Amino acid sequence: MPFRDTEPRDNFLLSGTFLLSCLSIAFFKLTSWFSSSGAFIASNAQNGPNEITVQLCAMILLLIAERFCPYTSRQASIVLVAAASLQAIGSFLLFSPVHGSEQSAFTALILRGVGSAVFLLAFGKLLGSIEPSKSALAIAGSEVLVGVLPLFFTSIPSDAVSFVSASLPLAAAFCLIWALEKTVAPENDPSPITRAQLRKIPIHPIILLILCALSSIGIALLGQTLQASADQLYRYLIIAVNLLIFFAYAIWIYGLKRNDPDTLWPFLMVIIFVGLFVYSSFSSIAPGAASGLLGATRRTLMVFAWVFMASIIYQQKLPAIPFFCLGQLIISQIPSTIASFIRDNDLQIASAHQEISATILTAVMALAVIAGVLVVVYKSKVATAANQHSVPSEIALKAVIDKLSERYSLSNREAEVALLLAEGNTLKAVAENLTVSLDTVRTHAKNLYRKLDIHKRQELLDLIEGELDAGK
């Protein structure tokens, strides 16, 4: 079910919605951090399912269920609370000294995997339903919290670990439900997906995302392990990288007045390149620092992925949950599951020179990333130059609309609707531009089509294009 944004961007950083969005994402990610950081002792299920594997399977099943089972926002909230409860129970079983058996750990991983899958789908709904500038700030802000809060959590007494880890998913659900209620409102009749929408999705950044995601498989094959996330240097590197990204987005959006944070992806790719380059160049000299920086910069991949997916979903009016879910599966869950399978089953490539092989691999990947960025940027500039010659200017469009308005006796509002539609806006975007309801825009569009003796927008575009060609 699609949603619309309702809060002004200028006040977003100072709003409760920004804080709630950041906290919900941060609390969700910190739930996994408690078990993966190495800072706390957790029971371990031998020969049991990996949490990410369970999450992968649950996301596929939920994606199918979401496609065929209609639901209300209240029912979705109930499911989210139930998922948070499953994660809370799983975390308690994982860290409770009373329930330290292999069977309880097995159950804990299943509960946490299923619960986290529901959260990821809910984040897709939230982030894909708000303006890209807001979703980018919320994602980057949450990563800053994910870097800072563990500095305080590491001092938690061992007796309180199970309680704190079980409380985080419940707090995440509360913040997420509240954020959804504050920022989105349901639409009655979502538009179907068209081939034109799918063709507008840029393919080159997706290829770069997948390339970076596959690096985890390559690192696993070579038997390399990145710096433990409990390491203090690693934590400070994460904070520094995440602060850099957050301030970059803030300057881009507020300083430069841009509303397209997804176009900042080359900057994020450069950060990933730096991590790969430093690791390939200095891993033999300072392995701890090089590994820590590589681990910290690779986290930028998920920031890039979430910002990119949320922006594309919002701009192309795509169904938030299935597209965000598919992107998450392709970029994160599937590569991570393969990497975990390789490590758990000792399928690493046997080599007397594994460290050298890892260095060569990261160097090649670094070159591939920077070469990919240069190619995509070059193609984008070529496409932009071509569009400048092919897309009619706003003045030319306005002149044609004025001519049609006079010829067919269009009202002022009908002429405004025609101009906005000709500029590529959807009916929903036209309603937002004119600050009227969607039903009102539909009425104007219906009257417009009747007067022009056409039946759909493509015929309107063809009519305008013919007038433009005639005027040349």
Side-chain angles (χ1 to χ4, degrees):
M1 184 189 320
F3 292 84
R4 70 169 183 270
D5 193 9
T6 59
E7 188 167 0
R9 181 182 65 174
D10 293 343
N11 303 325
F12 185 66
L13 273 182
L14 303 177
S15 69
T17 303
F18 171 70
L19 180 60
L20 289 169
S21 301
C22 289
L23 288 175
S24 63
I25 299 173
F27 288 158
F28 165 74
K29 292 188 175 183
L30 288 171
T31 302
S32 299
W33 173 83
F34 265 83
S35 58
S36 63
S37 66
F40 308 102
I41 299 176
S43 56
N44 192 15
Q46 300 297 327
N47 302 319
N50 183 285
E51 184 175 337
I52 295 181
T53 305
V54 176
Q55 189 183 85
L56 169 66
C57 298
M59 285 181 71
I60 294 173
L61 293 175
L62 287 169
L63 183 61
I64 297 171
E66 197 273 341
R67 173 67 178 83
F68 295 103
C69 301
Y71 58 92
T72 64
S73 58
R74 179 179 177 82
Q75 291 170 335
S77 298
I78 293 173
V79 171
L80 185 57
V81 171
S85 301
L86 291 179
Q87 273 203 302
I89 295 171
S91 296
F92 183 80
L93 291 175
L94 204 60
F95 291 101
S96 175
V98 180
H99 304 87
S101 67
E102 182 177 317
Q103 184 177 2
S104 66
F106 182 91
T107 305
L109 293 175
I110 292 178
L111 294 177
R112 282 162 56 98
V114 173
S116 61
V118 177
F119 267 100
L120 286 171
L121 268 63
F123 286 129
K125 176 183 287 187
L126 173 66
L127 298 173
S129 305
I130 59 179
E131 196 176 326
S133 59
K134 298 179 184 179
S135 60
L137 290 170
I139 293 166
S142 68
E143 287 296 324
V144 173
L145 293 178
V146 171
V148 172
L149 291 178
L151 297 178
F152 302 95
F153 285 151
T154 50
S155 61
I156 294 175
S158 57
D159 295 339
V161 170
S162 59
F163 172 77
V164 175
S165 63
S167 301
L168 285 173
L170 297 173
F174 170 78
C175 294
L176 181 53
I177 292 171
W178 196 355
L180 284 167
E181 290 179 351
K182 287 175 68 68
T183 59
V184 298
E187 273 185 12
N188 295 325
D189 52 343
S191 302
I193 305 171
T194 64
R195 290 185 179 180
Q197 287 176 300
L198 297 177
R199 283 197 296 267
K200 289 181 180 179
I201 298 176
I203 191 65
H204 297 98
I206 296 176
I207 294 174
L208 288 174
L209 274 171
I210 295 174
L211 174 66
C212 292
L214 292 177
S215 65
S216 60
I217 299 176
I219 291 173
L221 280 171
L222 292 170
Q224 299 298 304
T225 303
L226 298 182
Q227 194 81 345
S229 55
D231 186 271
Q232 202 75 347
L233 173 62
Y234 177 75
R235 301 271 16 125
Y236 288 133
L237 286 171
I238 285 179
I239 294 173
V241 171
N242 290 339
L243 281 173
L244 176 64
I245 294 172
F246 178 78
F247 284 123
Y249 277 124
I251 293 171
W252 185 259
I253 293 166
Y254 290 103
L256 301 178
K257 306 297 183 184
R258 299 290 296 267
N259 194 31
D260 52 351
D262 53 305
T263 59
L264 202 57
W265 65 264
F267 170 72
L268 302 183
M269 293 301 291
V270 168
I271 294 178
I272 296 173
F273 164 77
V274 169
L276 292 167
F277 176 77
V278 169
Y279 184 83
S280 63
S281 302
F282 300 101
S283 58
S284 59
I285 302 173
S291 179
L293 182 61
L294 177 60
T297 53
R298 285 185 74 251
R299 293 169 63 93
T300 305
L301 174 65
M302 289 317 299
V303 177
F304 172 15
W306 281 33
V307 170
F308 178 77
M309 289 188 294
S311 297
I312 293 299
I313 289 169
Y314 183 89
Q315 292 166 356
Q316 304 301 329
K317 313 301 177 188
L318 300 171
I321 289 180
F323 275 84
F324 190 88
C325 177
L326 286 173
Q328 186 74 16
L329 286 172
I330 295 170
I331 295 167
S332 178
Q333 264 63 34
I334 292 177
S336 297
T337 300
I338 295 173
S340 297
F341 180 81
I342 291 171
R343 291 192 183 98
D344 294 343
N345 294 277
D346 296 325
L347 300 177
Q348 293 90 347
I349 297 173
S351 172
H353 307 286
Q354 282 189 335
E355 290 187 5
I356 297 176
S357 300
T359 301
I360 294 174
L361 172 67
T362 51
V364 170
M365 290 190 61
L367 293 174
V369 166
I370 202 65
V373 171
L374 292 175
V375 169
V376 175
V377 170
Y378 171 75
K379 288 193 172 184
S380 298
K381 288 185 176 180
V382 171
T384 301
N387 287 335
Q388 287 176 347
H389 294 288
S390 61
V391 177
S393 67
E394 185 176 350
I395 297 175
L397 278 177
K398 184 69 169 59
V400 169
I401 297 299
D402 289 342
K403 186 185 297 184
L404 292 176
S405 180
E406 183 177 352
R407 184 187 306 167
Y408 295 98
S409 302
L410 303 181
S411 68
N412 290 337
R413 189 60 93 182
E414 289 165 357
E416 289 175 332
V417 170
L419 178 60
L420 290 169
L421 289 174
E423 291 174 346
N425 293 288
T426 62
L427 290 178
K428 177 184 173 183
V430 172
E432 292 175 353
N433 268 282
L434 300 179
T435 61
V436 296
S437 70
L438 190 57
D439 288 336
T440 301
V441 172
R442 286 199 180 102
T443 300
H444 288 310
K446 184 178 179 180
N447 293 334
L448 170 67
Y449 293 168
R450 177 178 53 80
K451 290 182 179 181
L452 297 179
D453 194 23
I454 58 177
H455 302 90
K456 54 186 179 181
R457 181 164 67 173
Q458 187 56 51
E459 292 182 74
L460 172 65
L461 298 178
D462 292 342
L463 178 61
I464 292 172
E465 186 176 353
E467 292 290 334
L468 287 168
D469 291 340
K472 289 180 180 179

